[in-house]
Every structure is written in structure tokens, then in C-alpha cells.
Amino acid sequence: MSSSKKIHFEVSERKILLRIFDVLTVVFALYIIGLIFKFNYFHISKANFMWTLVLATYINILGTVFEMYNLQTASHQYHIIKSILLTSSSTVLFFLLTPILTPVLPSNRLQIVYFFLAITLSLFAWRLFYQRFLASNRFVKKVIMVCDRSQLKELSKTLEKADPHYKILAYVNSDSKCNLDPVRGIIDITALELEDFVRENGISEVVIASRKKDGITVEVYNALLRLLEQGFVIREYTQVYEAITQRIPVQYVDKDFYRYFPFSRSNHNKLYMLLVRIIEVAISLFGIALGLCFLPFVLLGNLLGNRGPLFYTQERVGKNGIPFKILKFRTMVKNAESGKAVFATQNDARITRFGKFLRKARLDEFPQFINILKGDMAVIGPRPERPFFVDQIAKEMPFYQTRHVIKPGLTGWAQVNYSYGDSIKDSLIKLQYDLYYIKHRSVSLDINITIKTISTILFYRGQ
């Protein structure tokens, strides 16, 4: 008996679904409370439709800041409770403090309690329903992989970690010479069994991940062609990897890299670049002013906790490989490096106690606003690295120098998605994120990074 193919929502579709139903659930709850109780602070009508739009905007922006639309968070009960409480509290606060766009403050404080409870409890109810009946069942995507058996463990681990609802049920081995043991939980099938297995198990898609030219045999090719003619989805692994992880899999595209990696048009769009530069100058001036406000506190902390020069400069690689001097507040002991340069590790003994605080709160990076104002750096871009590490990593990692086609940034797609890196392996992952940003650079992605940076600071995840 065949298993029917379930409707499956992609990662982006799930996030949109969460955003839409968060707003609809909250608005419906406010409407019901208005009917049952004497709640007149948020009255829904055509004349007051602006209030609903403002509320929806706050829920979506603040929900992003507090990671309500991170699918791993959305599927974890404890994490989503924390996110909902933070989002609902901050939404109510922002809504109350913008009276020009929102209703006048209520004279009865009980109205605020009703408002807060309606938002919080409705989000709890909807997200509990999502976890119990949607995330655990409807969103599971069953997949067959066509790949070498030696690749399978790494491929399945990477994709299933990025999307907990992505399940590789079986694979077709494209390496006839491989004698490795099967991967636990994944069924080994032949090309002849492929069509029947797809129909009987409700498979959503077949992913081709073989890197060998002779990996797809005539039997496998014909089976895939028949499935394609019947409407089944067949995708190439690099496309799947990029869509799910939002990284570029440089380790799989090899010498054909530039076929898979067209630069974003925004990198050469003069209007976009002019707009970005104007915003960067404004942000850097604001950042310098804010940094001056923090300066007395940093001076005192440096005097007591660091006992050395307040600032330090270091050579970093900028756009087009041109070096520049980066400026930061010092976080390590004096003469931290004796001899050659070494990666800073997560619990590096060279970092002072006050330095750890500065790094976690991202306060050590405030002087970099001067670099941004000078044009050495951007607000958003790859992390600026030291020449020694650039030369070392470039020898072992293809396309590392590609990071330098744009300015390095104070924050970036790699910085907000991958918290720490102190090895070549970590550098590879961060490179994948950097290349994804260079490929997909846009206003929407810049806004996304800005919001995620706020989350990084609020949750104290700095390096």
C-alpha cells in the first residue's frame, strides 16, 4: 500500500506562516477580549486600522529580535516560552510609548493588563498548537539522497541540524567501490528500488549529491528521469544546502565555483552603494557619540581590570586585499602575543575579566566606528582578518580571498549566525556565510543582519 505524499512547507514558508498567524492570533484575541470584557484601549475598526498595522510591525520586528522565528527556537518549548514573554512585554511597551501611531494611554491600568495577557496567552496557545500538531508532523520532509556512502553521514548531519524537520530516509550509493558500513537509520537502496521506495514512503524530494562524474549510472539516471516525468522533485545538493543553511557549500562546488556563485547585483549598484554609505556615515557618527558616553565607564574598567593602554591597533585585510589599521578597546593582557600570531580561543587566558565583558557586550568594537567613518570598513560585511591568518587560511581553503571583494564589516551574516571561530574548520563555516552574504547582498538581508545583531547584543553572545 502506497504512502501518500504529505504537504510540506519550506523553511521560508514556515517562517512566513509563523509571522502571519502570530499577528492573526493576537488580533483575534484582542477582538474577543473586547467583546467579553470592558476592554476599549485597542478597538478594532476600519478607522483605527493603523493601530493593527503598527501592532503587527512590532510583533514581527521584536519577535525577530527575540528569535521567535528561529525554527530551532520555535520547536523547543522552553526557548519559545522565553521568546514569547520577551516579545509580548517589549511589544506592549513600544505600543504604549508611541501614542502618535497608537491609542492614547488608558486611564485605567487594568486595560494594559488585558492588552498584555491577550498578546501573551494568544501567542502561547498558537505556538503550542504549532509545536504539537504542525512542527512535529506536517513539516517533516522525507528525502532520498544519491551520494557516495562516505559522504552520507556528513551530509545528513549538516542538513538535519540546520532543519530539524528534514529527514533523510534512504540513499542510493553512487560509489560502487565503497565498502563502508551503512549509516544507522538510513536505508541503503538500489536504483531498481528507487521508484517504488519513493511512492511507498511519501518521499518529498530526491537530492543528487554525488561529486563523481561517473557516480550517476545509467540505471540511476533512468530511474530519476522517470520520477521527474511523474512530477517528483529532484534537486542538486548545493541548492538544497544553500537554501536550508543559508551558506555557500564551497567544499562541494570545487573548480566550478563561479558557475554557482554569481555576485549580487547590489555589489555594483551605485544607488544601493550610495545609500549604504550615507547610512554608514550616520551610524558611525551616532556610534562615536554613544561610545563617548560609555568612555568614562570603559576608562575606569580598563584602569582596574586591564591596567594598560585603553586602545590597541592591529593590521587587518580590507577590500581588495588592501591592509588597514583597525582600532579597538584593548581586551587582552599587554604583550598578549610573543612570536607568531595565534587564534583567540573562546576561553582564552590572555583575555582579562573586563575584556571578556567588553567582548560579550560588543563594547570593545565601538572605536571601529572611526574605521567606518574613514571608509576602511562597512557596518555590514565579512569580519576583518589579520594578514597572517588570511595567508594561512587561503592556502588550505579555496576561494577565501573572495571575501575581500567587499569591505569588511563591524557585523555580518557570519558573525550573527556563527558565534565563535578559533580554527580552520570554523573559518570554513564562516567563509560559507560570508560568501552567502556577498551572493545575496540586499537591503532586506542587511535589515535581517541588523536585527540579528541586536539579538546578539541583548543575549550577550559577543566574542
Side-chain angles (χ1 to χ4, degrees):
M1 185 177 178
S2 63
S3 175
S4 60
K5 186 179 176 182
K6 292 183 179 180
I7 298 172
H8 175 79
F9 293 96
E10 298 295 338
V11 171
S12 59
E13 294 169 336
R14 272 175 269 168
K15 290 181 179 181
I16 292 172
L17 183 74
L18 287 173
R19 290 180 185 277
I20 291 173
F21 276 90
D22 280 352
V23 173
L24 292 178
T25 305
V26 167
V27 172
F28 179 73
L30 290 169
Y31 176 75
I32 295 298
I33 286 181
L35 294 177
I36 299 174
F37 301 99
K38 294 181 179 180
F39 177 68
N40 50 31
Y41 171 64
F42 188 92
H43 180 65
I44 300 173
S45 67
K46 290 183 179 179
N48 298 325
F49 187 65
M50 176 62 71
W51 296 353
T52 306
L53 291 179
V54 172
L55 181 64
T57 302
Y58 285 160
I59 290 172
N60 274 274
I61 292 176
L62 295 169
T64 304
V65 170
F66 295 114
E67 301 183 338
M68 281 181 60
Y69 305 110
N70 179 309
L71 295 183
Q72 280 77 15
T73 299
S75 301
H76 192 284
Q77 195 163 0
Y78 167 74
H79 290 158
I80 197 59
I81 288 173
K82 183 178 74 171
S83 294
I84 288 172
L85 286 173
L86 290 170
T87 300
S88 58
S89 301
S90 54
T91 297
V92 170
L93 181 63
F94 273 78
F95 200 83
L96 292 171
L97 294 177
T98 50
I100 297 174
L101 302 173
T102 57
V104 178
L105 288 173
S107 56
N108 183 353
R109 282 176 287 185
L110 188 60
Q111 297 283 309
I112 299 176
V113 175
Y114 285 145
F115 189 52
F116 171 75
L117 290 177
I119 294 174
T120 305
L121 295 180
S122 61
L123 287 175
F124 273 138
W126 150 238
R127 289 307 187 98
L128 182 63
F129 175 81
Y130 169 85
Q131 284 185 350
R132 292 285 178 86
F133 300 104
L134 296 179
S136 60
N137 182 26
R138 175 59 62 189
F139 295 148
V140 172
K141 173 177 270 191
K142 298 177 182 178
V143 180
I144 291 177
M145 194 78 68
V146 178
C147 65
D148 300 350
R149 186 179 293 174
S150 58
Q151 296 176 268
L152 185 61
K153 189 173 183 180
E154 179 191 348
L155 298 180
S156 61
K157 182 180 177 181
T158 301
L159 296 178
E160 292 178 359
K161 183 179 179 181
D163 182 357
H165 306 116
Y166 196 90
K167 300 297 179 187
I168 299 174
L169 257 61
Y171 82 107
V172 177
N173 185 16
S174 58
D175 184 3
S176 58
K177 298 178 181 179
C178 182
N179 296 315
L180 297 175
D181 294 331
V183 176
R184 183 180 296 179
I186 301 179
I187 303 169
D188 186 348
I189 62 174
T190 65
L192 297 176
E193 298 170 319
L194 180 59
E195 290 181 76
D196 290 337
F197 192 92
V198 167
R199 294 193 190 92
E200 293 171 2
N201 293 276
I203 298 299
S204 300
E205 67 183 25
V206 178
V207 177
I208 313 298
S210 177
R211 287 188 282 175
K212 296 181 178 179
K213 292 181 179 179
D214 58 347
I216 308 298
T217 62
V218 174
E219 291 81 6
V220 173
Y221 178 82
N222 289 334
L224 292 173
L225 190 60
R226 286 192 293 271
L227 288 173
L228 190 63
E229 290 171 346
Q230 296 167 37
F232 285 95
V233 177
I234 299 174
R235 300 172 72 189
E236 200 270 330
Y237 175 73
T238 56
Q239 298 170 343
V240 175
Y241 184 100
E242 185 174 337
I244 293 178
T245 66
Q246 296 185 306
R247 291 155 31 192
I248 300 291
V250 292
Q251 70 273 39
Y252 283 93
V253 296
D254 295 329
K255 293 180 181 179
D256 294 327
F257 181 68
Y258 286 95
R259 272 201 274 163
Y260 301 94
F261 185 58
F263 291 114
S264 169
R265 291 180 181 178
S266 296
N267 294 316
H268 306 287
N269 186 318
K270 291 183 180 180
L271 182 61
Y272 170 83
M273 298 304 294
L274 177 62
L275 178 64
V276 166
R277 184 57 189 157
I278 292 171
I279 293 173
E280 284 176 349
V281 170
I283 290 174
S284 60
L285 290 172
F286 176 78
I288 290 168
L290 192 60
L292 289 173
C293 296
F294 287 123
L295 190 58
F297 166 74
V298 177
L299 275 168
L300 181 62
N302 183 72
L303 182 65
L304 299 175
N306 287 353
R307 297 183 183 179
L310 178 63
F311 297 98
Y312 89 93
T313 60
Q314 197 175 65
E315 190 174 65
R316 299 290 174 97
V317 178
K319 184 179 178 180
N320 299 326
I322 300 171
F324 70 97
K325 293 286 186 180
I326 198 171
L327 183 65
K328 297 182 75 174
F329 287 131
R330 192 171 57 85
T331 58
M332 290 188 176
V333 296
K334 288 190 294 184
N335 302 318
E337 287 182 342
S338 55
K340 69 175 184 178
V342 293
F343 278 111
T345 57
Q346 196 160 10
N347 297 304
D348 202 315
R350 299 172 298 167
I351 302 173
T352 66
R353 286 187 178 182
F354 185 65
K356 286 180 181 179
F357 167 74
L358 290 177
R359 286 181 172 227
K360 285 288 184 182
R362 291 287 184 96
L363 291 176
D364 65 314
E365 297 182 347
F366 265 92
Q368 290 177 50
F369 284 113
I370 297 172
N371 290 114
I372 295 171
L373 191 61
K374 290 169 60 180
D376 296 328
M377 291 176 60
V379 173
I380 297 173
R383 181 184 177 88
E385 274 295 355
R386 298 166 67 178
F388 175 84
F389 294 133
V390 169
D391 294 339
Q392 184 185 40
I393 297 169
K395 290 176 183 177
E396 302 186 36
M397 196 179 298
F399 321 116
Y400 189 76
Q401 300 283 9
T402 312
R403 300 168 78 248
H404 303 135
V405 300
I406 63 173
K407 290 180 185 178
L410 181 65
T411 186
W413 193 233
Q415 292 94 303
V416 298
N417 283 289
Y418 198 77
S419 60
Y420 205 85
D422 56 10
S423 66
I424 297 294
K425 183 179 179 181
D426 291 328
S427 295
L428 172 61
I429 296 174
K430 301 196 86 166
L431 171 64
Q432 293 174 345
Y433 281 118
D434 288 333
L435 296 183
Y436 182 91
Y437 174 73
I438 295 170
K439 180 177 179 179
H440 297 281
R441 193 181 186 190
S442 64
V443 173
S444 60
L445 185 54
D446 289 341
I447 292 172
N448 192 358
I449 292 169
T450 302
I451 294 173
K452 282 178 173 286
T453 301
I454 297 171
S455 300
T456 301
I457 295 170
L458 289 177
F459 288 110
Y460 204 54
R461 293 177 185 151
Q463 296 179 27

